[in-house]
Amino acid sequence: PTFFALFLASTPVFWLGMMFMLMFSLKLGWLPAYGIASWKSYVLPTLALGLPYAAQQLRFTRSSMLETIRSDYVMTARAKGASERKVIWKHAMKNAVMPIITIIGINFGALLGGAIVTETLFSIPGLGMYLVTGIKQYDVPVVTGSAITLAVVFSIVMLLMDLLYALVDPRIKAQYA
């Protein structure tokens, strides 16, 4: 599992998308290679875009949990006789989740950029395809508007991540009370 996660985390979205198109569309004929015809049209783009970031998130979550499990307060909870389930969920996960939330927010920005590539690769009409068409045609208002829209969406997601910090960590909530 670690090798597979490392391989997926280091694979570019466009290459993975092309390999999926080659395998599942051209060779096996299971899924459409481009366009939007039905729900099947979303399978390959979703996998091509999501798998590398999911693998990266998996590796980061694992390393964060391993670091937290080795902490003194986790060993103290074990020494006091708490069950392993309680130690993991009550003590370790509560403290390991903060950097995980940060990486989720940062990865969302990368997903927005990857969506532009994925929409272009799979010929999916959307904001990414609109932006690429605007760049090709030197349409400055389209490029500016698309970039501003993506920046606003990313800013809203980062704001939600900050609000999620306060929900997860009572120390942060206490600062704003």
Side-chain angles (χ1 to χ4, degrees):
T2 304
F3 172 76
F4 190 65
L6 184 61
F7 174 74
L8 279 177
S10 63
T11 304
V13 171
F14 70 89
W15 186 84
L16 192 61
M18 287 190 290
M19 292 301 112
F20 282 167
M21 287 170 73
L22 180 67
M23 184 66 162
F24 295 110
S25 296
L26 299 176
K27 295 280 185 197
L28 298 174
W30 291 351
L31 298 166
Y34 60 89
I36 299 297
S38 69
W39 66 270
K40 290 181 180 181
S41 302
Y42 291 103
V43 173
L44 291 181
T46 303
L47 288 175
L49 184 58
L51 281 178
Y53 295 106
Q56 182 184 11
Q57 192 68 38
L58 174 78
R59 289 188 46 76
F60 191 80
T61 302
R62 180 182 181 274
S63 66
S64 181
M65 279 299 290
L66 287 175
E67 182 181 330
T68 305
I69 284 175
R70 294 183 186 120
S71 300
D72 291 338
Y73 58 88
V74 173
M75 287 189 239
T76 303
R78 283 188 178 128
K80 287 183 175 181
S83 68
E84 190 65 21
R85 170 179 245 142
K86 188 173 183 180
V87 168
I88 296 294
W89 288 104
K90 291 273 186 176
H91 299 283
M93 185 59 90
K94 187 182 286 188
N95 292 300
V97 78
M98 294 301 285
I100 294 168
I101 291 172
T102 303
I103 295 299
I104 289 172
I106 292 169
N107 277 349
F108 184 80
L111 280 169
L112 287 174
I116 295 169
V117 173
T118 306
E119 285 180 10
T120 305
L121 181 65
F122 288 98
S123 299
I124 299 172
L127 184 60
M129 187 72 140
Y130 186 61
L131 175 62
V132 170
T133 304
I135 291 170
K136 287 179 183 176
Q137 295 176 353
Y138 300 104
D139 193 350
V140 176
V142 166
V143 174
T144 305
S146 299
I148 289 172
T149 302
L150 291 171
V152 167
V153 168
F154 182 68
S155 298
I156 290 170
V157 167
M158 292 309 289
L159 175 67
L160 292 174
M161 290 293 131
D162 286 343
L163 294 174
L164 189 59
Y165 286 155
L167 193 71
V168 170
D169 193 354
R171 295 172 295 185
I172 295 174
K173 187 187 284 186
Q175 287 180 338
Y176 296 110

